[in-house]
Amino acid sequence: MAAMARHLITSAIPYINGIKHLGNLVGSQLPADLYARYLRARSHEVLFLCATDEHGTPAELAAAKAGKPVAEYCAEMHDVQAGIARGFALSFDHFGRSSSPQNHRLTQHFAHRLKEAGLIREVTEHQMYSVADGRFLPDRYIEGTCPNCGFESARGDQCDNCTKQLDPTDLINPRSVISGSTELELRETKHLYLRQSAMRGQLEQWILSKTEPTGEIRNGVEMIRTTWPILTTSIALKWLRDGEGLQDRGITRDLDWGIPVKDGDADWPGMEGKVFYVWFDAPIEYIACAQEWVDAGKGTDWERWWRTDKGADDVRYTQFMGKDNVPFHTLSFPATILGSGEPWKLVDYIKSFNYLNYDGGQFSTSRGRGVFMDQALAILPSDYWRWWLLSHAPETSDAEFTWENFQASVNKDLADVLGNFVSRITKFCRSKFGEVVPEGGAYGDQEQALIADLTARVAAYQAQMDAIEVRKAAAELRAIWVAGNEYLQSAAPWTTFKTDPAVAAMQVRLGLNLIRFYAVLSAAFIPDASAGLMAAMQTDDWSWPDDVAGALQALPPGHAFNVPEVTFRKITDEERADWQTRFAGIRA
RNA sequence: GGCGGCGUAGCUCAGUUGGUUAGAGCAGCGGAAUCAUAAUCCGCGUGUCCGGGGUUCAAGUCCCUGCGCCGCCA
């Protein structure tokens, strides 16, 4: 096995506005946590970071709706999201905030570097200003009648009825979505644009460095094989090459809430009162978050994770995100990093996910359709969700959540296969030998076969986890659980006990050791249940089973244990039906 | 409208660079066992690989096209 490595892991940072649904969870934070937990268990050094993404108009509006100053609203929502993250046992080394002073300084620093590199240009443009609201309005916050189809609630960027793309000035009788005011006027304003187009070649070179040629030429185009997930690379190249190609992007806005536009520590003439646009400062928070981690006293040196001139060149950096975030992570953020001309760590591997659908449709925040993270925790322990979501992660295509599938999977995998295994072996031992690991007997062919089988399966499990093949890893883990039941079924200690108690003792001892073995292997998926099993087995030996035979002797004869409470109770049909109606939301 | 993705057993999904009789889990059917959360284990899978063309000695796997579903469009 490879020597200990250092892994930097970030999850896409969730927007501050509201509580996320299960689709958001499984698209970034949860698989990131799985990977982080696994690598730590394998004794690698891990820095796992996440944060809340707090700037932008939606946060301001949500705060206004809640009747609170936006800073206060964000602070409260950050705590809410942090609490929910703890509820799902997400093991962030730090859960930061994009509104942190560290991110302010760093964002302004990057802007300065990009300006020095000639990668920022100033653009004077005209935008809709709402006199009543006292602010410029983003296109989607202007509504009016569509000039094309007459739909009365067309948005300034697009008509939801006829899907025609619009400019706010196209709308008939435009009004502010915020206040309803029709007192709108076109005002001149100046903004900064990041010259992404100038970096196209550099970005393409970097992205192609994550692929390898197959040698095949098809239709005059050389075929490539991706080392990143196909989803990641195809989205990146599409944005880079298709249509008009990579466009320059505005990185500032006329808002109050955000990071003030500055040229490093200095003022930026003409940009007073403006802030950086949220997409610019949000990914920089990945770096600032490491600074927050140090400033919070949890670490001592953030630069060895982020500066390749200060030790980060041997760090492997993995990002997790939903597919909608891929362009920002493959193009925009790398443009910021590369454009700075400084030796910042670039991402090595981007794991992206498709969407999770809910019962034949989309999860919908606005319609309250689907299960949200707080609701999920209110009805079942987090491990139930973690297991189902990870074992059904939308890796190759969009995935489907149905209550029937959820109930069946969780009951079968967790309650019947794993939970019942623990139950049957501990209770049998208690009734025949007491609550202590029994002594006597020696391995026979069955035990040797089991060890050989498990050795192969653990290797397969590790290979899938190393490759971040989440569903396949879950399937391997489940097969490892099944192997325990197969063994018990054929060894049948309840039968051997009648004729040869020593053999039965050996079989039971092995069975009890399998519980610890499973707890260690399963902890990345179901950390709380694993901790419960370890407590029941009265051990804190979390060492990874590099040697399966040795690992299955960790609990020696005479070692005391408790028969655990039901590890996973089953979901009843009544509960399923109840939840099904409760979370159906308002159908369109 | 443009672009992208998807369409494989009742359900959820695998199917690597095209190559022998298309796979897994669940559900279903049959059997074994009775330690256990009525929990386990074993056996049983012909399904138009959405339809239609094409390339090839060979296509679920490549190309074209039709249909259906979904997403994105700064």
Side-chain angles (χ1 to χ4, degrees), chain A residues 350-499:
Chain A
I350 295 180
K351 177 72 178 180
S352 54
F353 289 85
N354 289 283
Y355 292 141
L356 180 67
N357 290 320
Y358 180 79
D359 208 11
Q362 284 182 296
F363 276 83
S364 170
T365 304
S366 57
R367 286 186 285 152
R369 186 160 188 280
V371 187
F372 292 76
M373 288 173 72
D374 56 340
Q375 300 169 326
L377 288 177
I379 61 176
L380 285 171
S382 64
D383 282 345
Y384 287 64
W385 299 107
R386 290 179 63 108
W387 175 254
W388 190 89
L389 289 169
L390 290 167
S391 61
H392 294 78
E395 289 178 297
T396 52
S397 65
D398 290 356
E400 182 77 16
F401 176 92
T402 65
W403 285 101
E404 289 84 355
N405 185 294
F406 175 71
Q407 178 193 23
S409 297
V410 161
N411 285 355
K412 186 69 182 175
D413 298 347
L414 297 182
D416 296 348
V417 174
L418 177 59
N420 184 56
F421 173 81
V422 172
S423 193
R424 63 196 298 205
I425 189 67
T426 53
K427 286 179 181 172
F428 180 75
C429 182
R430 179 172 63 186
S431 73
K432 304 302 183 192
F433 302 101
E435 289 181 78
V436 63
V437 177
E439 184 178 5
Y443 284 172
D445 291 345
Q446 279 188 108
E447 287 71 31
Q448 298 301 345
L450 174 66
I451 288 167
D453 182 39
L454 288 176
T455 299
R457 290 192 181 283
V458 168
Y461 176 56
Q462 290 173 178
Q464 300 295 6
M465 290 294 273
D466 287 335
I468 325 181
E469 289 286 348
V470 177
R471 301 174 79 128
K472 289 176 180 172
E476 284 295 342
L477 180 58
R478 186 186 187 282
I480 289 170
W481 297 340
V482 168
N485 280 312
E486 287 172 358
Y487 169 74
L488 267 196
Q489 204 64 29
S490 64
W494 46 91
T495 301
T496 55
F497 182 79
K498 293 171 188 165
T499 56

Side-chain angles (χ1 to χ4, degrees), chain A residues 288-335:
Chain A
C289 189
Q291 300 178 346
E292 291 177 52
W293 168 71
V294 169
D295 293 343
K298 300 173 183 172
T300 55
D301 185 356
W302 65 270
E303 290 186 312
R304 66 188 281 267
W305 292 98
W306 272 110
R307 294 283 298 219
T308 57
D309 58 335
K310 294 180 180 172
D313 47 355
D314 68 341
V315 167
R316 180 167 171 81
Y317 177 23
T318 307
Q319 292 176 340
F320 291 79
M321 70 198 67
K323 60 183 171 186
D324 51 326
N325 258 320
V326 169
F328 295 104
H329 290 78
T330 52
L331 302 171
S332 300
F333 186 42

Side-chain angles (χ1 to χ4, degrees), chain A residues 71-347:
Chain A
E72 187 182 318
Y73 171 81
C74 287
E76 284 178 13
M77 286 307 299
H78 173 82
D79 288 345
V80 168
Q81 294 209 22
I84 292 172
R86 279 193 296 277
F88 275 96
L90 301 176
S91 61
F92 307 133
D93 288 297
H94 189 71
F95 187 58
R97 305 181 58 185
S98 69
S99 62
S100 68
Q102 290 88 344
N103 198 37
H104 277 235
R105 282 196 299 274
L106 198 56
T107 298
Q108 290 162 348
H109 167 79
F110 272 108
H112 167 72
R113 295 290 307 188
L114 292 166
K115 182 190 179 196
E116 294 297 302
L119 290 169
I120 288 187
R121 61 186 172 92
E122 298 187 2
V123 174
T124 298
E125 54 195 9
H126 295 272
Q127 287 190 356
M128 283 293 213
Y129 184 87
S130 168
V131 177
D133 297 306
R135 60 189 296 160
F136 283 95
L137 294 176
D139 292 353
R140 66 177 182 282
Y141 287 104
I142 301 164
E143 269 187 11
T145 301
C146 175
N148 190 46
C149 73
F151 182 58
E152 291 182 2
S153 299
R155 296 186 319 191
D157 54 347
Q158 184 180 30
C159 174
D160 283 338
N161 188 50
C162 69
T163 73
K164 184 179 171 61
Q165 295 206 45
L166 302 170
D167 266 340
T169 50
D170 296 335
L171 294 172
I172 300 162
N173 300 323
R175 61 184 179 276
S176 162
V177 170
I178 299 168
S179 63
S181 168
T182 56
E183 202 181 340
L184 305 178
E185 54 191 52
L186 217 47
R187 285 195 185 178
E188 189 177 285
T189 181
K190 191 163 74 174
H191 285 294
L192 303 181
Y193 274 64
L194 176 59
R195 298 180 55 222
Q196 294 187 139
S197 57
M199 302 194 61
R200 186 183 172 285
Q202 206 178 346
L203 288 167
E204 183 167 20
Q205 190 179 30
W206 173 64
I207 289 163
L208 290 178
S209 75
K210 308 301 178 187
T211 68
E212 52 193 52
T214 61
E216 181 190 0
I217 307 286
R218 190 176 295 158
N219 296 330
V221 178
E222 184 172 35
M223 296 290 107
I224 56 172
R225 183 179 299 117
T226 63
T227 56
W228 284 351
I230 295 168
L231 183 67
T232 305
T233 304
S234 64
I235 290 175
L237 290 177
K238 168 171 125 27
W239 283 68
L240 200 57
R241 294 169 166 175
D242 281 13
E244 297 167 38
L246 193 58
Q247 301 292 297
D248 294 349
R249 291 200 61 158
I251 59 166
T252 56
R253 284 294 183 271
D254 289 292
L255 294 177
D256 296 327
W257 176 239
I259 296 176
V261 176
K262 295 187 78 173
D263 179 7
D265 296 331
D267 289 338
W268 197 307
M271 298 305 291
E272 296 81 5
K274 297 176 193 284
V275 300
F276 287 108
Y277 189 24
V278 58
W279 78 255
F280 183 69
D281 76 65
I284 295 172
E285 169 62 15
Y286 289 143
I287 306 175
C289 189
Q291 300 178 346
E292 291 177 52
W293 168 71
V294 169
D295 293 343
K298 300 173 183 172
T300 55
D301 185 356
W302 65 270
E303 290 186 312
R304 66 188 281 267
W305 292 98
W306 272 110
R307 294 283 298 219
T308 57
D309 58 335
K310 294 180 180 172
D313 47 355
D314 68 341
V315 167
R316 180 167 171 81
Y317 177 23
T318 307
Q319 292 176 340
F320 291 79
M321 70 198 67
K323 60 183 171 186
D324 51 326
N325 258 320
V326 169
F328 295 104
H329 290 78
T330 52
L331 302 171
S332 300
F333 186 42
T336 299
I337 295 277
L338 290 168
S340 76
E342 295 176 322
W344 297 101
K345 177 73 189 169
L346 276 166
V347 65

